[in-house]
Amino acid sequence: MSSPIKTYCIIGDPVQHSLSPLMQNAAFSALGIKSSYISFRVPSRDLKTSIASLKSIGIAGFNVTIPHKISIIQYLDELDNTASISNAVNTVKNDGGKLVGYNTDIYGFIQPLYKRNIDFKGRKVLIIGAGGAAYAIVTALSYEEGIAETIVVNRSSHNASKLVQHALKLGLNTHKEEFGNLSKLASQSDLIINSTSIGLNNERSPIERDYINPNSIVYDIVYKPIETDLLRKAKEVNARVVYGYEMLIAQGAQAFEIWTGCEAPIIAMKKALFGIFGEPK
Ligand SMILES: NC(=O)c1ccc[n+]([C@@H]2O[C@H](COP(=O)([O-])OP(=O)(O)OC[C@H]3O[C@@H](n4cnc5c(N)ncnc54)[C@H](OP(=O)(O)O)[C@@H]3O)[C@@H](O)[C@H]2O)c1
């Protein structure tokens, strides 16, 4: 008897921008795994009932995106170490009826920086945003030796404070600054990370070009459009850039491995995203 087809999904609001269905279905197909992956828009008010419904239909696993990465924790049965340390979940596996939360954004975020052999010692890091993804980012940075300081700037000062408290507990030298000081702070930073949703709707960069230091690295975790206005401006001043799609692929590969136990077919996943033209330079 052949094994039943497993179903996976991503939940979020908005979720229509997500490239995870394209990437994960390509991965299943490349390895001949009979599974499918779809997206569900789940508004915050429906999160609890939606999780219960996914559990009752025997969903094999799912990803979690904006704005549920923190609020979902209360509805899960167990947390893996990555999720409990970061206090955020982006991947859930149904383990014999138990929903277990993981965080693959930690690995997904740091992987593109490792690929570039970035030395973190003495670096000043600026994180814009304090949502679910930012919790994974501070967790990843807390494992790096010698970062001089990490500054959090966020629209809501209250959310910035909560993230700073979390980062301090992880041993990261962190404090918050006002959103209005963003440009000045950017000009003094070695690594600038946008972890807000700014850019997702082609919004203007929160930092003007003249405030981007050409010696800095600018990392925008927004992956659609591939080149946000922030990255475009960073490239104009010859700063090094890290694309959000690099994190997307790395976090998705680790999620695939958690669900299937198989090594993720990265080439097939990239091909699904970029077609025959390959990765942007
Ligand atoms: N490349 C990847 O693999 C990857 C992985 C994870 C996330 N992401 C992307 O990262 C972004 C954030 O995801 P998340 O899960 O952290 O979302 P989230 O938990 O909903 O947090 C959103 C963050 O963006 C801020 N924000 C939203 N709209 C804003 C605006 N108009 N002006 C200023 N700040 C604004 C929020 O500030 P407040 O606290 O003030 O509300 C908060 O800090 C999304 O675009 C998501 O697609 C990409």
Side-chain angles (χ1 to χ4, degrees):
M1 214 175 73
S2 62
S3 53
I5 294 176
K6 291 184 175 172
T7 304
Y8 298 85
C9 70
I10 179 164
I11 60 165
D13 185 22
V15 77
Q16 75 278 4
H17 67 280
S18 175
L19 296 176
S20 292
L22 187 68
M23 192 172 69
Q24 297 294 357
N25 283 318
F28 290 133
S29 155
L31 297 192
I33 297 173
K34 284 191 190 144
S35 294
S36 65
Y37 185 112
I38 50 181
S39 65
F40 281 124
R41 187 176 82 85
V42 173
S44 293
R45 64 175 180 278
D46 297 337
L47 183 62
K48 185 178 179 185
T49 49
S50 300
I51 300 303
S53 303
L54 289 173
K55 201 173 181 179
S56 74
I57 60 166
I59 193 91
F62 56 97
N63 284 127
V64 183
T65 188
I66 352 169
H68 306 314
K69 285 182 179 177
I70 299 171
S71 49
I72 191 168
I73 288 179
Q74 59 193 308
Y75 306 122
L76 299 178
D77 299 308
E78 247 174 52
L79 295 183
D80 156 86
N81 205 24
T82 52
S84 53
I85 287 180
S86 61
N87 198 33
V89 165
N90 79 323
T91 300
V92 176
K93 181 180 181 179
N94 187 338
D95 190 1
K98 259 188 332 196
L99 295 183
V100 185
Y102 297 78
N103 194 311
T104 70
D105 280 339
I106 301 170
Y107 168 80
F109 167 76
I110 209 74
Q111 176 67 6
L113 294 172
Y114 283 170
K115 256 169 112 177
R116 289 166 171 78
N117 290 316
I118 302 300
D119 183 2
F120 291 91
K121 286 202 182 65
R123 299 271 191 179
K124 279 181 147 188
V125 181
L126 174 64
I127 302 174
I128 315 165
Y135 278 78
I137 291 170
V138 298
T139 306
L141 292 174
S142 74
Y143 296 126
E144 301 306 323
E145 297 271 315
I147 293 177
E149 65 172 341
T150 306
I151 297 173
V152 173
V153 169
N154 190 54
R155 179 177 62 180
S156 142
S157 179
H158 175 68
N159 289 346
S161 298
K162 287 206 302 200
L163 178 65
V164 167
Q165 287 312 314
H166 187 75
L168 287 171
K169 273 195 223 145
L170 296 173
L172 205 60
N173 175 17
T174 318
H175 69 276
K176 71 168 184 179
E177 296 264 0
E178 293 306 311
F179 207 94
N181 296 336
L182 185 54
S183 294
K184 188 174 130 239
L185 293 163
S187 66
Q188 299 162 352
S189 300
D190 301 303
L191 174 59
I192 300 167
I193 303 155
N194 175 39
S195 79
T196 70
S197 329
I198 301 172
L200 200 55
N201 292 311
N202 280 308
E203 295 95 333
R204 198 182 166 88
S205 164
I207 306 166
E208 285 310 317
R209 193 179 62 178
D210 293 349
Y211 291 94
I212 301 173
N213 184 337
N215 296 319
S216 64
I217 300 164
V218 180
Y219 191 160
D220 197 338
I221 76 163
V222 170
Y223 60 80
K224 200 174 176 191
I226 286 180
E227 190 168 277
T228 58
D229 190 41
L230 171 62
L231 291 187
R232 199 165 29 249
K233 289 192 161 101
K235 282 167 94 174
E236 281 169 10
V237 299
N238 287 321
R240 293 172 79 186
V241 301
V242 183
Y243 292 96
Y245 78 77
E246 299 176 66
M247 174 172 172
L248 174 77
I249 293 169
Q251 63 76 32
Q254 198 181 53
F256 181 88
E257 290 172 5
I258 288 167
W259 292 327
T260 65
C262 301
E263 191 180 331
I266 303 276
I267 293 173
M269 293 164 93
K270 279 189 180 172
K271 209 165 170 188
L273 295 181
F274 303 116
I276 54 166
F277 296 107
E279 215 172 322
K281 291 277 176 275

